[in-house]
Amino acid sequence: MTTLSELQPLHHPLFVQYDVQVHVKRDDNIHPIISGNKWRKLKYNLAHIVQNKNFNGVISFGGSYSNHIHALAFACFQKNIPCMGIIRGEKSYADNFTLTWARHWGMKLYFVDRKTYRRRHDADYLMQLQQEFPHNFIVPEGGSNKLALTGVAEIITELNQQADYDTLITPVGSGGTLAGLITGDINTVTSPHKILGIAVLKEADYLVDTIQSLLPTSAKQHNDWQLFTHFHRGGYAKFSPVDAARILEFNQITGVNFEPVYSGKMILALLDLLEQGYFPKGERIVLLHTGGMQGVGGMIERGILPADQWPMPEQANG
Ligand SMILES: Cc1ncc(COP(=O)(O)O)c(C=O)c1O
């Protein structure tokens, strides 16, 4: 098996000070649009749609700056699969950075209020949606379903060929990526690695159950994973100017760009854990770069991040 992404060593004075070795798995470089965990999670979902004659389209859910919606729109455009995004928020969001591109690639957008959006996992709501669109495959928010886990698990197969390591760290939103890593780890090694998830949203303890329910039976035996729920920095997509400055400084020192909603919160958690003496000396750490750099476009657009300091993402016209 060839590896899809490079495992790159990261250099930082704190890694020397705390005697740890850090690498980053550059899934952000897999594809300019379908980057990071999106590529991994969509791979088998899209294959399922293409192979299954009952389906001729896909429906999924997301917020108005969703990386998943953005990547799904481009992936469907490439494969000529009609797609619809059910978006939390108002119609006026259709012109923002993320959704302008999603529309450009042919995704139909359907805006719903917060109350309706909250029903996105409810069986009765999904059944109603399926009845209305019988030939569309419904992919959950963030793309996190069992098919996604198979794609994410391939990260572990690659890592096993690339390096020996002790701890793997990933940011966590809907839980599919962490669940996929746990699954891949238990299925491919005799002595499982420590896998840490950094929840990027507030009050995320419920995600432990979500992750457990996604895991296949074999992976439920993995008992060396943990979800940290106190590194969210105020909630989803929330961060202080100091947080943003710390991420930017880390980016400048290491030469790798992390964004403040997902991968950057993992970086801040790593720095905090190092300073707390969490890692034993000599620990070999792998960080999963889950992509999502398109989100920076929306934050620059809203004035949340300064354009002269953060990289405006490039987009492919397709
Ligand atoms: C860039 C990025 N990183 C990490 C995550 C978290 O992944 P998951 O939702 O599978 O927990 C997401 C959301 O899907 C994301 O967009």
Side-chain angles (χ1 to χ4, degrees):
M1 185 192 196
T2 52
T3 57
L4 266 180
S5 72
E6 185 197 353
L7 186 66
Q8 179 183 336
L10 278 189
H11 303 287
H12 190 285
L14 279 180
F15 302 162
V16 179
Q17 186 181 333
Y18 290 98
D19 191 10
V20 292
Q21 282 173 37
V22 182
H23 283 77
V24 57
K25 176 86 173 136
R26 296 296 306 270
D27 268 19
D28 55 313
N29 280 343
I30 292 178
H31 185 280
I33 309 291
I34 318 165
S35 87
N37 59 348
K38 305 300 158 231
W39 204 98
R40 307 282 185 175
K41 293 203 274 188
L42 290 176
K43 179 178 174 188
Y44 291 104
N45 271 293
L46 295 178
H48 179 69
I49 296 164
V50 170
Q51 284 156 15
N52 194 320
K53 297 274 171 287
N54 291 331
F55 297 125
N56 57 18
V58 57
I59 297 176
S60 197
F61 305 86
S64 52
Y65 288 96
S66 163
N67 294 319
H68 164 65
I69 288 292
H70 184 261
L72 179 68
F74 187 79
C76 287
F77 165 75
Q78 268 194 326
K79 292 196 181 294
N80 212 7
I81 301 171
C83 65
M84 180 166 96
I86 299 183
I87 310 295
R88 180 185 56 224
E90 292 145 31
K91 277 200 181 113
S92 58
Y93 294 166
D95 294 328
N96 77 18
F97 181 87
T98 303
L99 297 181
T100 298
W101 281 105
R103 285 190 294 118
H104 174 80
W105 295 317
M107 180 180 261
K108 287 205 178 74
L109 301 180
Y110 185 70
F111 290 89
V112 295
D113 59 25
R114 282 174 183 274
K115 198 170 152 211
T116 310
Y117 193 81
R118 247 180 256 129
R119 299 186 60 208
R120 65 196 179 280
H121 302 298
D122 294 356
D124 59 336
Y125 176 71
L126 292 172
M127 197 190 294
Q128 213 179 315
L129 196 62
Q130 193 70 82
Q131 276 164 1
E132 202 177 329
F133 301 98
H135 299 296
N136 281 257
F137 183 60
I138 302 175
V139 174
E141 180 185 57
S144 290
N145 56 12
K146 299 223 179 225
L147 289 165
L149 265 58
T150 312
V152 174
E154 291 176 356
I155 295 172
I156 301 285
T157 314
E158 291 181 23
L159 275 175
N160 290 342
Q161 296 169 14
Q162 289 174 306
D164 290 329
Y165 62 97
D166 304 302
T167 297
L168 172 62
I169 312 183
T170 183
V172 176
S174 58
T177 304
L178 180 54
L181 296 174
I182 296 166
T183 306
D185 198 49
I186 198 93
N187 287 344
T188 56
V189 291
T190 43
S191 159
H193 298 94
K194 183 185 274 289
I195 305 183
L196 303 180
I198 308 300
V200 302
L201 53 150
K202 221 168 30 187
E203 290 163 10
D205 292 306
Y206 72 93
L207 280 173
V208 173
D209 285 345
T210 308
I211 292 161
Q212 289 284 7
S213 68
L214 279 168
L215 291 177
T217 316
S218 62
K220 291 192 198 293
Q221 296 153 23
H222 196 301
N223 55 15
D224 206 3
W225 67 271
Q226 196 178 344
L227 179 70
F228 283 110
T229 55
H230 59 289
F231 289 120
H232 55 72
R233 318 268 155 191
Y236 181 72
K238 299 222 167 93
F239 51 87
S240 68
V242 174
D243 293 334
R246 275 178 91 203
I247 297 168
L248 204 53
E249 185 192 47
F250 188 89
N251 293 353
Q252 281 154 359
I253 292 174
T254 60
V256 179
N257 284 323
F258 297 89
E259 48 67 54
V261 178
Y262 290 99
S263 57
K265 283 196 181 171
M266 169 178 67
I267 296 303
L268 296 177
L270 170 73
L271 298 178
D272 287 353
L273 287 169
L274 281 172
E275 282 164 0
Q276 290 161 17
Y278 175 84
F279 297 104
K281 283 198 184 316
E283 187 84 345
R284 296 160 304 175
I285 300 166
V286 172
L287 306 170
L288 178 63
H289 196 320
T290 48
M293 296 309 293
Q294 74 84 25
V296 170
M299 286 182 273
I300 291 176
E301 180 181 74
R302 284 172 288 165
I304 297 170
L305 295 177
D308 57 344
Q309 292 176 9
W310 289 82
M312 190 65 179
E314 281 176 32
Q315 302 295 315
N317 285 326

